[in-house]
Amino acid sequence: MSGLLELTVAEAAGRIAAGEIAAGEYFDAWRAAAAGDELNAYLWRAEDGVEGTGGPLAGIPVAVKDIFCTEGVPTTAGSRILAGYAPPYTSTAVRRLGEAGARVLGKTNMDEFAMGSSSENSAFGPVLNPWDRGRVPGGSSGGSAAAVGGGLAPCAIGTDTGGSIRQPASLCGIVGLKPTYGAISRYGMIAFASSLDQCGALTRDVTDAALLLAALQGRDPCDSTSVGIEGGVEAPSREDLKGLRFAVPGELARDAIDSGVRAVFEATLETIERLGGAITEAPLPHAEHGISAYYVIAPAEASSNLARYDGVRYGMRAEGAGDLTEMYEKTRAEGFGAEVKRRIMLGTYVLSSGYYDAYYGRAQRVRTKIASDFAAAFAEFDFVVTPTSPSVAFGLGEKTDDPLAMYMSDFFTVPMSLAGLPAISIPAGLAEPDGGGPRLPVGFQIVAPAFAEQRLLEAAFALEREIGFDAKPGEGAGG
Amino acid sequence: MAELEAVIGLEIHVQLSTRTKMFCGCELSFGDQPNVHTCPVCLAHPGVLPAPNEEAIRYALQIAVALECEVAPRSIFHRKNYFYPDNPKAYQISQYDIPLATGGRLDDIRIHRVHLEEDAAKMIHVGESGRIHGSGASLVDFNRGGTPLVEIVTEPDLRSAAEASEWARLLRTTVRQLGVSDVNMEEGSLRCDANVSVRPAGSEELGVKTELKNMNSFRFLERGIEAELARQQELIGAGAAVVQETLHFDPRGVTLTSLRSKEEAHDYRYFPEPDLVPLAPTEQMLHEARGSLPELPAARIERYREEMGLPPEAAAQLAADPEAAVYFERAAGAAAGVEPRVVANWVTGELAAALRQEGGEAGATGSKVEPEALAALVVMVQEKRISHGSGKTVLAALVAEGGEPGAIVEREGLAQISDSGELEAIVATAVDANPEAAAQIRAGNGRAIGAIVGAVMRETKGRADGAEVNRLIRDRLGV
């Protein structure tokens, strides 16, 4: 029944609801597909089928990033320190999907504690890009992106702290939606940087992203910072962009972008105009400092969030420690990978007495300025658009020895995270990597004001329809 | 050398008696089996978030209002980061630069700040030392972890150990009367640390202070401060300097030991808790906090002294115990025509003594003596319907069996002899029976009258008024 796997989630849900497909049959088809994972996308896969369920996502299998706690099911956040850990509770996001009728198909691989842009920082081996297995799928939600892009799951959820949904979606040729900070509960989502982390969807198309968002969003008493999206989310239907104003931040666009990515980006701007949208260059003067501010704020919060992994209550505990301090030190030395340790040290340093104002305080002021820039832009424009990633998927190992180069992968996605804004990446075309090679997917990012998800999805839907991206990994990779 | 003056400030932690913990739904308990009141949140499992307890916020506001503090419109929770097994998140959620309330007073001691935080878990160190260093093993009981705490910090306004302990008692009474805490020092629901320094009397500058911990009774608080003041005075007297440090009070030998500097050398890396929004009490909440304030001890003492004419000691004694105060006020209200001062004397004097005699634990409120019955008894004595001595007899009967004093007087035949002819006859017989005493009285030894009064009282079974008996004896002897 390979035909089942061609359906989008919206189509499959419709046919299951109409009784044309059995939920169990659909789930089993995807279990079989997931079992053929050669990308190291999954860390755990469901062993049981499902019975019929109700709800808008009845019978829909969802690949879940291994950062979401699932009761009784291994949850590692890609870290050795949580190897063997099965949480005693389920995250709100997964619970809501379940209430809508969806079921967990598997837990997907990721950069350890969501720290990374290539999914090479997993303690359980790197994830491979479905378009070219010598390349990375992006990160940190690389397992979720590779699973959807590689035909191992119909849809997935991930988390985005500085681009961790949008950038891998871009590199794997799928849709990645990061909602407004506060739209979806973070309860049960293993924290990396609490003021930035947000759950979102990785799907084949914009309609599916809307469907997942509708199920996921909402205020949760377990998360004081969650508010939900007023009025909910509906399936988008807009076919044009008439009267809509799109801002292109000149400061960002001038920076180093691969020529192939630039070409796809400019072609997409023309598509927007063809649909009736207006393109204007607009200032976002502080956005270029986003990476600097982000790499102070996120590690600072991470250094505190990750301090609970001490070997006392759960997860890994190092053997052979003589006293408490040694147990802490050995456990954390053995349990954490290099990038996590780098960020813990960075974060500890910037919060230290005497350095707080110079680093953390200053980064927060930059963050405020970036948010003000966006607020000013949205006073005049409906959307801000950028490429999602400065390059197409890069080679495995290409940037692992150069953290700064790796950090720059999130140049276009970090400012929106700092401002807490909703943003979506949709596949806009294929481009050759700088230096040549088979053509790979390029993402186009659209950003909207806080909680304007519906407006964002409508525009993305119209643009997606006009672009008509239908390349598949096999074809793209084959040239 | 100039005389040294003590400068003392207190830091008091009050465990709130809410139904559940500060940031999760676990019930509060004392003395239950270890680790039965725990959940993923208070065990700091990956992905959990704090959800503030509204009841705790209301209680804390009541304390702030009772201490005449100014409540911050938006106070901020911070993370205080440190590794220790009693602190499973490796940070305590507390308040730092913008606490719940500032600038109050209780009696004439100024309050620096009042803030909300969560308690740590309880550690039990197995082995000789009783501390983590040198213990064979350490056990953690998370039942207490996450209990709501209010920290109250005074200005350094206290000038002696006795004043500090007396003020701490007043604070305990005040908080107890609000009904927001058990304020039991032995059980740890009230914990009191002291900052102690000395300076030349009259100086405005503060000396180097030490912080005293682990004084788990008011007596130990006083003795700990006394011991530390003596130590500091001795140091300065010998020309040495006080070193700023934290001292652990050991009640067994009334000794103070310095905590190892390693335990002290913390950089807590405070930063705003990103998982919580600012705490912004509504007008309604503040209104309710103010409206729920009972009359507090300081105000009650003043009313007892100014309006009811009680002596200072009796006013303080009755006001310190809300139940005793209610009892006294009911009795004073029922004792028509009797000054409250007299009723207060009976409550704090005769009744307290009779209850002690009976050996019961209960105070006046828990006894069989209804306040109205005590009032009726006092009225009978004041109106000389029975003698003071008979009054004590009736009170003993009331303590033992309850009931109405009038009925007891009747049953025991204690009514005062009102027929002066009858009393005169008894006096005449007594004088004749004690010629030696009569002679001494005539010779000017007034004290010899006791023997004759005693004889009359024996004969009348105490039903005679002592003053009247004295008068009749002197009349008869012509002195």
Side-chain angles (χ1 to χ4, degrees):
Chain A
M1 281 296 291
S2 68
L4 286 180
L5 307 186
E6 306 303 317
L7 303 172
T8 66
V9 170
E11 290 164 350
R15 289 171 66 170
I16 290 169
E20 294 163 27
I21 315 173
E25 180 191 6
Y26 183 68
F27 194 85
D28 283 345
W30 278 109
R31 279 206 303 133
D37 174 20
E38 292 176 355
L39 304 174
N40 200 26
Y42 284 103
L43 295 175
W44 176 89
R45 285 184 295 266
E47 285 172 10
D48 301 320
V50 298
E51 300 296 316
T53 57
L57 294 174
I60 301 298
V62 182
V64 171
K65 188 179 184 180
D66 205 30
I67 202 164
F68 291 92
C69 284
T70 40
E71 185 176 347
V73 169
T75 302
T76 65
S79 182
R80 186 174 298 115
I81 210 158
L82 283 174
Y85 173 67
Y89 77 110
T90 294
S91 57
T92 300
V94 171
R95 183 175 54 75
R96 282 187 193 255
L97 288 175
E99 285 163 4
R103 289 294 176 265
V104 177
L105 176 62
K107 301 293 291 289
T108 58
N109 203 353
M110 56 183 284
D111 282 306
E112 184 177 7
F113 287 106
M115 297 179 191
S117 306
S118 69
S119 299
E120 291 166 291
N121 294 335
S122 168
F124 308 105
V127 183
L128 311 182
N129 190 308
W131 295 73
D132 176 348
R133 293 180 186 185
R135 291 175 184 271
V136 304
S140 65
S141 308
S144 285
V148 175
L152 307 173
C155 63
I157 60 171
T159 59
D160 189 315
T161 305
S164 278
I165 286 174
R166 292 162 285 164
Q167 184 256 17
S170 173
L171 270 47
C172 291
I174 61 169
V175 170
L177 171 65
K178 180 201 95 76
T180 311
Y181 184 80
I184 301 173
S185 170
R186 291 182 294 117
Y187 186 72
M189 211 170 89
I190 296 178
F192 157 22
S194 311
S195 73
L196 296 157
D197 295 342
Q198 182 58 208
C199 166
L202 298 104
T203 54
R204 286 186 184 171
D205 66 15
V206 174
T207 302
D208 285 0
L211 201 55
L212 288 193
L213 178 61
L216 290 163
Q217 68 87 23
R219 185 179 137 59
D220 176 11
C222 292
D223 176 359
S224 311
T225 64
S226 70
V227 285
I229 298 168
E230 208 182 326
V233 175
E234 287 168 16
S237 58
R238 183 160 181 150
E239 295 182 359
D240 63 57
L241 299 172
K242 284 186 188 120
L244 295 175
R245 299 154 303 169
F246 292 78
V248 178
E251 293 83 358
L252 292 189
R254 269 193 298 276
D255 275 284
I257 306 175
D258 283 8
S259 54
V261 171
R262 184 180 294 279
V264 170
F265 180 66
E266 282 167 1
T268 310
L269 296 181
E270 285 167 23
T271 309
I272 288 173
E273 286 178 323
R274 200 160 60 238
L275 285 169
I279 305 284
T280 313
E281 192 168 303
L284 220 53
H286 300 93
E288 58 182 324
H289 300 299
I291 290 283
S292 310
Y294 178 85
Y295 277 98
V296 171
I297 294 167
E301 294 180 9
S303 71
S304 176
N305 284 330
L306 271 60
R308 69 187 57 192
Y309 306 108
D310 57 10
V312 175
R313 284 147 293 126
Y314 48 73
M316 196 200 96
R317 178 189 296 174
E319 300 285 333
D323 64 18
L324 178 69
T325 307
E326 203 186 333
M327 183 182 94
Y328 285 161
E329 287 170 357
K330 279 178 70 96
T331 298
R332 293 167 65 80
E334 292 170 21
F336 289 138
E339 181 62 24
V340 169
K341 287 176 188 165
R342 181 179 296 126
R343 296 199 196 185
I344 289 174
M345 286 189 281
L346 248 171
T348 303
Y349 178 78
V350 301
L351 287 177
S352 295
S353 146
Y355 296 96
Y356 182 94
D357 281 335
Y359 293 105
Y360 192 75
R362 200 161 170 204
Q364 290 291 11
R365 289 193 288 279
V366 171
R367 183 177 189 174
T368 305
K369 286 194 181 297
I370 290 173
S372 313
D373 283 356
F374 276 110
F378 286 128
E380 280 183 63
F381 303 99
D382 299 294
F383 303 101
V384 171
V385 293
T386 74
T388 307
S389 165
S391 73
V392 294
F394 44 90
L396 286 162
E398 194 179 315
K399 297 186 180 178
T400 42
D401 292 332
D402 187 352
L404 281 181
M406 187 73 89
Y407 295 171
M408 292 309 284
S409 313
D410 295 330
F411 184 78
F412 291 118
T413 49
V414 153
M416 300 75 194
S417 291
L418 289 169
L421 300 172
I424 193 168
S425 176
I426 61 170
L430 298 174
E432 270 185 25
D434 270 15
R439 298 198 306 156
L440 294 162
V442 174
F444 182 84
Q445 178 177 230
I446 314 173
V447 188
F451 299 108
E453 269 81 355
Q454 192 64 46
R455 189 204 293 182
L456 179 68
L457 289 163
E458 297 291 352
F461 178 79
L463 188 56
E464 171 187 66
R465 199 166 167 273
E466 185 68 15
I467 292 169
F469 181 86
D470 59 359
K472 293 278 175 352
E475 304 150 35
Chain B
M1 201 179 81
E3 199 175 326
L4 292 173
E5 170 186 60
V7 178
I8 302 158
L10 298 179
E11 278 183 32
I12 291 129
H13 286 89
V14 173
Q15 272 186 348
L16 300 181
S17 53
T18 47
R19 194 177 63 78
T20 56
K21 293 185 179 182
M22 185 64 222
F23 295 114
C24 67
C26 289
E27 278 181 29
L28 297 190
S29 67
F30 182 82
D32 277 2
Q33 287 270 80
N35 295 314
V36 292
H37 299 287
T38 62
C39 73
V41 175
C42 58
L43 290 176
H45 272 264
V48 297
L49 297 171
N53 181 339
E54 268 189 48
E55 192 182 22
I57 293 169
R58 283 204 305 275
Y59 283 10
L61 286 173
Q62 282 187 41
I63 292 177
V65 169
L67 299 179
E68 299 176 38
C69 290
E70 186 170 336
V71 174
R74 288 162 66 85
S75 66
I76 308 286
F77 285 105
H78 269 64
R79 291 188 184 179
K80 179 181 180 179
N81 295 283
Y82 65 95
F83 283 96
Y84 205 65
D86 67 1
N87 174 25
K89 296 191 295 298
Y91 56 83
Q92 179 196 30
I93 301 178
S94 183
Q95 295 195 294
Y96 183 56
D97 52 0
I98 310 178
L100 181 80
T102 51
R105 66 170 52 244
L106 175 65
D107 213 8
D108 48 3
I109 303 305
R110 292 171 300 154
I111 305 292
H112 177 62
R113 60 185 278 157
V114 172
H115 78 239
L116 252 177
E117 58 184 31
E118 55 177 343
D119 207 350
K122 196 170 168 185
M123 298 274 294
I124 299 135
H125 304 301
V126 180
E128 285 285 300
S129 69
R131 307 253 300 275
I132 196 161
H133 297 285
S135 68
S138 294
L139 308 171
V140 195
D141 177 4
F142 289 100
N143 283 354
R144 195 184 73 180
T147 299
L149 280 186
V150 164
E151 182 175 322
I152 299 161
V153 183
T154 74
E155 297 291 351
D157 287 352
L158 297 152
R159 291 291 172 269
S160 73
E163 191 192 1
S165 127
E166 193 188 330
W167 186 85
R169 282 172 210 265
L170 175 65
L171 179 72
R172 178 182 63 171
T173 309
T174 304
V175 174
R176 171 175 292 158
Q177 206 168 336
L178 295 172
V180 299
S181 170
D182 298 334
V183 281
N184 183 323
M185 276 186 109
E186 284 71 30
E187 290 181 358
S189 53
L190 177 70
R191 300 198 282 271
C192 199
D193 300 337
N195 291 311
V196 176
S197 63
V198 294
R199 66 181 175 195
S203 166
E204 290 296 308
E205 280 174 41
L206 294 169
V208 176
K209 68 174 180 188
T210 54
E211 188 178 358
L212 272 56
K213 289 184 176 292
N214 196 44
M215 297 164 295
N216 57 8
S217 74
F218 291 111
R219 194 163 58 90
F220 290 152
L221 173 68
E222 193 168 335
R223 294 174 74 175
I225 294 172
E226 269 167 7
E228 176 55 11
L229 285 171
R231 191 188 69 90
Q232 290 189 11
Q233 278 160 353
E234 196 176 322
L235 273 176
I236 289 168
V242 175
V243 179
Q244 180 160 355
E245 61 185 334
T246 300
L247 299 167
H248 189 88
F249 177 76
D250 183 351
R252 285 170 297 184
V254 197
T255 51
L256 297 160
T257 27
S258 182
L259 292 175
R260 286 161 54 128
S261 58
K262 196 177 171 188
E263 285 178 79
E264 244 196 307
H266 280 311
D267 177 354
Y268 291 119
R269 289 174 285 119
Y270 279 100
F271 73 103
E273 163 60 296
D275 289 333
L276 293 171
V277 295
L279 169 51
T282 58
E283 263 312 308
Q284 173 76 9
M285 288 168 84
L286 289 171
H287 185 76
E288 280 172 13
R290 289 190 202 103
S292 68
L293 279 193
E295 184 184 38
L296 295 170
R300 186 167 271 170
I301 290 172
E302 191 174 323
R303 182 164 64 83
Y304 285 179
R305 292 177 60 175
E306 300 301 318
E307 293 176 25
M308 301 179 88
L310 264 56
E313 307 75 46
Q317 193 183 334
L318 289 169
D321 177 350
E323 288 192 343
V326 167
Y327 186 94
F328 158 67
E329 291 191 31
R330 270 176 66 185
V338 177
E339 283 176 30
R341 181 175 52 80
V342 176
V343 179
N345 276 341
W346 276 87
V347 174
T348 60
E350 308 294 3
L351 177 60
L355 291 170
R356 268 198 305 278
Q357 192 82 34
E358 188 73 359
E361 291 288 303
T365 309
S367 77
K368 292 178 181 163
V369 188
E370 291 296 319
E372 289 76 14
L374 181 74
L377 176 62
V378 174
V379 169
M380 278 193 263
V381 173
Q382 283 301 105
E383 291 178 351
K384 299 191 190 299
R385 282 187 274 142
I386 61 172
S387 67
H388 194 92
S390 298
K392 289 210 257 182
T393 308
V394 174
L395 187 56
L398 285 174
V399 166
E401 61 196 72
E404 288 303 314
I408 297 168
V409 166
E410 190 140 331
R411 188 183 75 203
E412 306 286 327
L414 292 173
Q416 194 121 314
I417 297 168
S418 49
D419 180 340
S420 61
E422 185 188 349
L423 192 55
E424 271 175 44
I426 295 170
V427 166
T429 313
V431 168
D432 294 347
N434 290 280
E436 280 176 32
Q440 286 178 21
I441 295 163
R442 286 201 188 88
N445 181 3
R447 271 180 294 179
I449 202 169
I452 303 175
V453 173
V456 173
M457 288 303 177
R458 269 194 302 281
E459 182 60 29
T460 60
K461 297 197 179 72
R463 292 180 300 135
D465 178 45
E468 178 70 4
V469 171
N470 264 280
R471 193 182 63 77
L472 290 171
I473 296 169
R474 288 171 192 280
D475 275 3
R476 181 149 191 91
L477 296 174
V479 293

